[in-house]
Amino acid sequence: GFSMMPEEILGFLGEDYKGLVGPGERAFPEMVKGLVEGTALKRLSSDSHPAKIGTLQNIDLLKAYSVYSPRASIGIRTKNGCGKQCHYCPYPQISGYSPVTKPLPAILKEIHFIRHLDGFPAFMFTDDIFNSPLDHAKQVLRAMIEEGEIPETWHAYISPKEIDEEFVE
């Protein structure tokens, strides 16, 4: 909701609050750096659809999270953006209208990383719609099988219109 109506929400919260709209691969680290260094922050920050999708990096933070959230699930993005233009859905407006995919080796590296952290038997593909485009999702799943990177469980938001027998298998 915040990415759809940031000014209204910040107006309600008051002047002391700052916000980040949409993808934050570049803007979030800048925001954290500003907070740590005590520099002035923009009231509203935004990445206009980053060309590169971020990767999981802070091992210590994830390990701490696993202690406080047993059986938690970590999110992995395989792409950013959605090629659909459903009139009811804000995802393309927030994440971009053209999907930008993460390279398969980077996706597999993150899956491997999560699978070998204690306390994380599962992960979630946090793409707007994991199986859109279907070919990309199937490439990810095939690569997971080929590399033996199959978690105890995983979940994702999927479109029922873009499922075929191979995807289900």
Side-chain angles (χ1 to χ4, degrees):
F2 182 82
S3 286
M4 296 303 298
M5 304 184 324
E7 294 294 345
E8 292 82 353
I9 292 171
L10 284 177
F12 176 77
L13 292 173
E15 290 299 315
D16 292 337
Y17 290 87
K18 312 291 185 220
L20 176 61
V21 174
E25 273 78 0
R26 288 184 283 238
F28 183 70
E30 290 173 15
M31 190 178 235
V32 171
K33 183 179 177 189
L35 288 168
V36 169
E37 295 175 353
T39 58
L41 297 173
K42 291 189 231 175
R43 180 143 168 84
L44 195 57
S45 297
S46 176
D47 282 351
S48 57
H49 314 301
K52 182 179 177 188
I53 302 171
T55 59
L56 297 173
Q57 299 171 30
N58 193 325
I59 295 169
D60 294 333
L61 182 61
L62 288 172
K63 285 180 180 177
Y65 177 60
S66 73
V67 170
Y68 296 108
S69 301
R71 309 269 318 151
S73 180
I74 296 292
I76 294 177
R77 281 200 303 171
T78 72
K79 67 180 179 324
N80 192 32
C82 177
K84 301 192 174 303
Q85 295 189 22
C86 306
H87 67 279
Y88 56 85
C89 181
Y91 287 161
Q93 182 180 347
I94 296 167
S95 301
Y97 290 92
S98 298
V100 175
T101 59
K102 186 184 293 183
L104 278 175
I107 296 167
L108 291 171
K109 183 177 178 181
E110 287 187 24
I111 292 169
H112 179 82
F113 172 74
I114 289 172
R115 289 189 59 239
H116 292 88
L117 275 177
D118 289 335
F120 291 107
F123 65 85
M124 176 180 187
F125 289 116
T126 58
D127 303 350
D128 296 334
I129 300 173
F130 174 62
N131 62 326
S132 178
L134 182 59
D135 287 344
H136 173 71
K138 291 192 318 188
Q139 286 175 3
V140 170
L141 297 175
R142 273 190 223 108
M144 288 170 58
I145 292 167
E146 288 169 7
E147 295 295 319
E149 293 294 351
I150 303 168
E152 188 176 308
T153 185
W154 63 269
H155 53 282
Y157 296 117
I158 61 171
S159 167
K161 287 184 175 182
E162 296 190 53
I163 294 177
D164 65 12
E165 193 171 320
E166 181 185 16
F167 178 79
V168 172
E169 287 178 22

